[in-house]
């Protein structure tokens, strides 16, 4: 067993894991499978991949790509360098995000679901939360608004119907009971209700009395996108934004760090100072707090927004690359790898429940047949999709620096077809 494990040392796994692969192979009377077992284990480990799916925020591929370096040094995570006393974990990324959204204060937790849970548990436990029936959504990954409400200890009060909810529906619910703690508005995210519909805006809701919490989900900071030179792209139309929701009177907004914000996985609660402070004091906040790796990456993202430098945020750089640029990159790949590769028009999507139903014009390359398994086996693995019998690599979601990686693998596959 040990000799077999040593013979596959080049797979690069620690010896005990190679021994395990060898033991399983021998137990199955198939020692020749030791290598493939070890390789399968190696490829199950977390590693970078090239996202050629055309889905910019692919939840299975870690949503927004972020670059962040940190050294093995300590940090001033909770230490105030000017006074030398204990500081706050929310003094850096959270305070920059409060500035970027125009909020009085902000708090960072582990993800968007945690942000919603903490807001509800802090402000509405044992009391009523009014929500439109059109917004009792499931976001995916088991996040269902009614279930999260139940977990927080708040009582759900449904108003309106699936397609139409009016201000009078909210008014009736609020005046019929004494214990309404919050009006919750939830972004429908991954689906749209179209046709005979009616919903109530944040402005009107905020004049009803109880504080309004808006679960934005996708984390667009400002509908005016001052970090983009060309202003808001067409596909962003109708996407609710943090700054505008707060201006319209929302007491709190919650959103994810790794959707349209383009940062690491995190959840942000922003809004009125005393409400954010109450969330921070809740015992659950301690269990939901992020570490310095996440806060460091989020701080970088927040600084890029404050510099109005959308190009420094990989998500925005990719999402706003003009189609002509992608067309010429596709042309260059075809020129390099020959006639078995074809430049094709394709349509990218934002993903992660953001801007549902909208597409972004894009270009990519196509290769005949289903080559996705071979692409996944490359180093780094390339994740592509199949459309009408062809494998398509959408270049919008590929960093330009990775065109070389793509060329290397695609040229090999194209040459294989020639042979
Ligand atoms: C995505 C989303 C969430 C959950 O956020 P995570 O960061 O994935 O936990 C919650 N609410 C809405 C409206 C969302 O779109």
């Amino acid at each position: 067993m040990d000799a077999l494990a040593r013979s596959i040392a080049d797979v690069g796994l620690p010896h005990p894991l190679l021994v395990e692969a060898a033991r399983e192979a021998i137990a199955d009377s198939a020692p020749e499978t030791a290598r493939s077992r070890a390789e399968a284990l190696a490829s199950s480990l977390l590693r970078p991949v090239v996202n050629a799916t055309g889905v910019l925020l692919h939840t299975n591929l870690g949503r927004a790509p972020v670059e962040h370096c940190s050294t093995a040094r300590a940090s001033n995570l909770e230490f105030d360098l000017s006074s030398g006393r204990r500081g706050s974990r929310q003094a850096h990324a959270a305070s920059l995000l409060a500035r970027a959204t125009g909020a009085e204060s902000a708090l960072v937790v582990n993800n968007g679901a945690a942000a919603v849970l903490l807001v509800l548990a802090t402000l509405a436990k044992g009391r009523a939360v009014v929500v439109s029936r059109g917004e009792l959504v499931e976001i995916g990954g088991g996040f269902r608004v009614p279930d999260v409400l139940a977990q927080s200890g708040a009582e759900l009060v449904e108003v309106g119907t699936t397609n139409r909810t009016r201000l009078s529906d909210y008014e009736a619910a609020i005046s019929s009971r004494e214990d309404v703690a919050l009006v919750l508005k939830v972004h429908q995210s991954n689906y749209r209700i179209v046709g005979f519909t009616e919903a109530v805006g944040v402005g009107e809701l905020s004049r009803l009395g109880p504080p309004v919490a808006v679960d934005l989900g996708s984390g667009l900071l400002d509908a005016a996108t001052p970090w983009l030179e060309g202003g808001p792209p067409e596909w962003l139309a109708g996407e609710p934004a943090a700054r505008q929701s707060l201006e319209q009177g929302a007491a709190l907004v919650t959103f994810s760090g790794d959707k349209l914000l383009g940062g690491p996985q995190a959840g942000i609660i922003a809004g009125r100072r005393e409400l954010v402070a109450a969330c921070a004091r809740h015992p659950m906040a301690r269990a939901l707090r992020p570490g310095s790796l996440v806060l460091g990456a989020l701080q970088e993202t927040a600084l890029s927004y404050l510099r109005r430098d959308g190009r420094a945020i990989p998500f925005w750089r990719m999402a706003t690359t003009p189609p002509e640029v992608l067309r010429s990159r596709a042309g260059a790949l075809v020129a390099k790898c020959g006639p078995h590769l074809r430049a094709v028009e394709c349509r990218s999507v934002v993903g992660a429940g953001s801007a549902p139903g909208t597409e972004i014009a894009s270009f990519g390359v196509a290769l005949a047949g289903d080559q996705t398994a071979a692409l996944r086996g490359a180093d780094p693995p390339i994740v592509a999709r199949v459309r009408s019998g062809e494998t398509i690599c959408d270049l919008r979601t590929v960093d330009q620096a990775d065109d070389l990686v793509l060329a290397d693998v695609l040229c090999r596959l194209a040459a294989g077809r020639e042979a």
Side-chain angles (χ1 to χ4, degrees):
M1 192 145 59
D2 195 60
L4 182 56
R6 280 179 205 289
S7 75
I8 55 172
D10 59 297
V11 175
L13 289 174
H15 190 64
L17 297 180
L18 296 174
V19 169
E20 195 177 303
R23 184 184 321 116
E24 284 171 6
I26 291 168
D28 277 359
S29 318
E32 71 285 358
T33 62
R35 173 174 293 276
S36 60
R37 287 169 197 263
E39 282 170 351
L41 204 158
S43 75
S44 73
L45 300 181
L46 194 60
R47 61 196 288 206
V49 305
V50 175
N51 173 9
T53 62
V55 182
L56 283 155
L57 303 172
H58 198 303
T59 299
N60 300 351
L61 303 181
R63 292 194 183 154
V66 277
E67 185 170 85
H68 180 63
C69 302
S70 87
T71 61
R73 286 214 178 96
S75 70
N76 57 340
L77 180 63
E78 282 189 10
F79 184 74
D80 182 341
L81 288 170
S82 52
S83 68
R85 283 204 274 275
R86 178 165 183 189
S88 162
R89 189 176 291 248
Q90 306 295 342
H92 11 80
S95 106
L96 296 176
L97 285 167
R99 282 190 184 85
T101 54
E104 288 174 10
S105 179
L107 177 70
V108 180
V109 291
N110 282 333
N111 52 44
V116 178
L117 184 64
L118 184 57
V119 165
L120 294 172
T122 304
L123 305 176
K125 184 171 184 196
R127 298 172 68 199
V129 175
V130 181
V131 191
S132 160
R133 289 198 170 88
E135 297 171 6
L136 292 173
V137 295
E138 172 173 323
I139 308 299
F143 182 92
R144 293 177 146 192
V145 172
D147 297 346
V148 174
L149 256 154
Q151 281 302 317
S152 73
E155 184 193 341
L156 168 63
V157 178
E158 303 178 18
V159 296
T161 61
T162 306
N163 57 329
R164 308 195 87 186
T165 303
R166 302 190 186 85
L167 192 60
S168 56
D169 296 321
Y170 287 96
E171 282 168 344
I174 291 167
S175 61
S176 74
R177 36 197 307 165
E178 303 275 279
D179 64 341
V180 174
L182 276 182
V183 172
L184 177 66
K185 190 165 174 61
V186 184
H187 180 31
Q188 288 159 347
S189 288
N190 46 10
Y191 86 111
R192 281 256 146 102
I193 298 181
V194 294
F196 187 57
T197 64
E198 192 171 339
V200 186
V202 174
E204 281 183 289
L205 291 179
S206 66
R207 288 189 282 279
L208 289 172
V212 177
V214 182
D215 179 20
L216 292 165
S218 42
L220 177 61
L221 278 194
D222 184 338
T225 63
W227 58 92
L228 298 180
E229 271 172 27
E234 222 171 281
W235 51 264
L236 209 52
E239 191 66 31
R243 175 176 287 276
Q244 283 72 22
S245 298
L246 293 166
E247 279 170 2
Q248 286 157 19
L252 288 178
V253 295
T254 55
F255 51 92
S256 298
D258 53 358
K259 295 183 181 173
L260 292 181
L261 192 69
Q265 180 188 304
I268 293 101
I269 300 169
R272 294 222 305 255
R273 190 179 310 284
E274 75 282 8
L275 301 182
V276 174
C279 290
R281 280 194 307 270
H282 192 284
M284 211 196 290
R286 172 68 175 74
L288 302 177
R289 74 182 191 187
S292 59
L293 288 177
V294 164
L295 291 171
L298 193 60
Q299 170 176 289
E300 287 300 311
T301 309
L303 287 170
S304 300
Y305 278 106
L306 291 166
R307 283 186 202 109
R308 302 190 162 197
D309 183 6
R311 296 204 57 77
I313 302 170
F315 164 76
W316 286 108
R317 193 167 63 227
M318 288 178 172
T320 58
T321 303
E324 313 83 77
V325 173
L326 301 174
R327 191 213 308 255
S328 79
R329 281 170 55 192
L333 281 170
V334 171
K336 213 168 190 171
C337 303
H340 289 281
L341 212 58
R342 199 162 67 80
V344 287
E345 254 189 284
C346 39
R347 313 202 61 83
S348 319
V349 295
V350 178
S354 306
T358 62
E359 295 179 321
I360 312 176
S362 183
F363 281 89
V365 290
L367 195 62
D370 182 351
Q371 309 282 348
T372 50
L375 289 171
R376 284 198 310 275
D379 185 20
I382 297 162
V383 185
R385 70 202 151 91
V386 175
R387 182 179 80 186
S388 332
E390 284 186 312
T391 301
I392 312 280
C393 294
D394 185 332
L395 294 179
R396 177 167 300 287
T397 52
V398 177
D399 190 282
Q400 185 160 5
D402 283 335
D403 281 6
L404 286 172
V405 174
L406 214 53
D408 196 43
V409 179
L410 289 173
C411 289
R412 235 180 323 114
L413 288 175
R417 300 198 68 80
E418 226 155 305

